[in-house]
Amino acid sequence: MYLSAWTWATFVAIALATGGCSFRGLALDTIGDMLSEGGTAFADDDDIELIGEALPFSLKLTDSLLQESPDHRGLLRSAAQGYVLYSYAYVQVPAEQAALEDLDQARHLRSRARKLYFRAFDYAIRGLEIDHPGLGAAIKTDPAKALAEIGNDDTENVPFLYWAASALGLAISVSKDDPAMLARLAEVKEMLQRALAIDDSYDKGGLHEFAVILAGSSPRLFDPGAIDYHYERALELSEGKRASLYLAYAMAVPLRAQDRAAFQDLMEKALAVEPDAVEGERLRNTIAHSRARWLLSRMDELFLS
């Protein structure tokens, strides 16, 4: 059932103002459950501008609810996912486009994207620390040892591992003026590997797609052939219906090899994916289509020959 922004705001105001800790907590948790389960309304929309205008309200509402109910798993997951999505689609991508014409604006947007990614990262780590207190600090010291505490049957924490790795990895990618951030790539790799070990099919190949991106940007972290393995596995799990996968592989392999024909072929495959081919993928596919068209328009700048 669709609830307007006014209705949500009214519910939250009532919950925050209602006396009685048990009733108030129950009301907040109920609202939190409804809000965290309503993500498909965004995922199934193909109006990028509309979602971009609506997401900030939803994210700030989630922030407010988490102040009152800090251990709500659904809200923590939604916050981590939402901030990554918003930062990538509406801050980082515009930063890449601005870099060709306005370096100051690009730097400003990259700085903002980094802050938003770290906000997402903090929420994901908080989700992991519900079952594993102190995990965030331990990951910085010895990521492999710290993450070994998460068992192979702990599927509930796979989303938090995924969004923590994604948020930190993307924060590193926009921190071009901070070489110290590169040292944290080990954390990203270990979180990704732990998630893959628990459930490599999560998000219809989303983990493998992220591995393609990570291996392409930091080949020294992976064995030779890792990119192709993860690409093929993601292709299998997504049944070829995720446009962003073709973009990820194109940026990781053909672009680095300056293979213009292969790059263009992958862009065309991405654009051939129907936005609503899979439930819950319309927005992600629409964003990927927009990026593919922009990349195609910049082919002469991306390829030297």
Side-chain angles (χ1 to χ4, degrees):
M1 180 175 66
Y2 173 79
L3 293 177
S4 68
W6 175 259
T7 307
W8 277 119
T10 302
F11 279 1
V12 173
I14 292 172
L16 294 178
T18 302
C21 292
S22 60
F23 178 79
R24 183 185 185 194
L26 177 61
L28 285 167
D29 285 344
T30 300
I31 295 169
D33 290 341
M34 295 171 68
L35 184 60
S36 62
E37 292 171 3
T40 55
F42 290 101
D44 282 334
D45 204 305
D46 62 357
D47 191 323
I48 298 177
E49 292 183 3
L50 177 63
I51 296 303
E53 294 169 356
L55 262 177
F57 174 83
S58 177
L59 291 171
K60 293 309 298 178
L61 176 57
T62 302
D63 288 340
S64 299
L65 289 171
L66 280 168
Q67 288 182 354
E68 299 293 326
S69 187
D71 294 331
H72 192 289
R73 292 180 188 271
L75 287 174
L76 287 168
R77 185 174 61 250
S78 292
Q81 178 179 356
Y83 274 109
V84 168
L85 171 63
Y86 181 79
S87 185
Y88 176 76
Y90 300 100
V91 187
Q92 181 174 349
V93 169
E96 293 176 358
Q97 297 171 352
L100 298 173
E101 299 174 355
D102 189 339
L103 291 178
D104 288 337
Q105 176 68 358
R107 280 193 289 268
H108 166 71
L109 290 172
R110 282 197 295 266
S111 176
R112 182 169 180 242
R114 171 173 161 156
K115 292 177 182 178
L116 292 170
Y117 285 137
F118 271 118
R119 189 176 297 192
F121 177 72
D122 289 342
Y123 278 132
I125 291 297
R126 279 174 54 181
L128 290 170
E129 289 187 329
I130 293 174
D131 294 330
H132 305 280
L135 185 66
I139 289 175
K140 293 181 181 179
T141 304
D142 189 340
K145 180 180 178 181
L147 292 165
E149 296 182 9
I150 303 176
N152 288 336
D153 60 346
D154 191 357
T155 57
E156 190 171 29
N157 276 314
V158 170
F160 292 120
L161 286 168
Y162 174 59
W163 291 113
S166 298
L168 182 55
L170 288 166
I172 293 170
S173 75
V174 296
S175 302
K176 301 182 184 297
D177 57 347
D178 187 358
M181 283 289 290
L182 291 175
R184 303 197 67 179
L185 279 171
E187 297 172 48
V188 179
K189 180 185 177 182
E190 292 297 337
M191 286 188 286
L192 175 60
Q193 299 285 46
R194 186 86 286 269
L196 283 165
I198 297 171
D199 180 13
D200 90 308
S201 66
Y202 173 73
D203 191 35
K204 301 172 186 173
L207 289 170
H208 288 283
E209 181 179 333
F210 183 61
V212 169
I213 298 170
L214 189 61
S217 61
S218 308
R220 287 178 295 178
L221 287 176
F222 292 83
D223 296 329
I227 294 179
D228 287 338
Y229 163 74
H230 288 297
Y231 174 66
E232 293 297 335
R233 181 63 174 144
L235 203 59
E236 175 189 356
L237 291 168
S238 66
E239 298 180 343
K241 297 177 181 178
R242 179 171 288 171
S244 57
L245 175 59
Y246 298 111
L247 269 68
Y249 189 74
M251 300 297 286
V253 180
L255 181 59
R256 291 174 66 90
Q258 287 290 284
D259 187 339
R260 182 173 181 139
F263 185 90
Q264 183 166 347
D265 179 62
L266 286 163
M267 293 299 106
E268 291 171 356
K269 286 182 177 179
L271 290 170
V273 174
E274 290 293 331
D276 54 357
V278 179
E279 184 179 0
E281 293 290 328
R282 182 179 296 173
L283 178 62
R284 180 150 44 180
N285 281 333
T286 302
I287 291 172
H289 283 180
S290 176
R291 182 164 168 73
R293 284 190 289 269
W294 181 77
L295 288 169
L296 283 171
S297 73
R298 299 291 180 175
M299 291 278 281
D300 290 339
E301 297 167 42
L302 295 171
F303 294 89
L304 299 179
S305 60

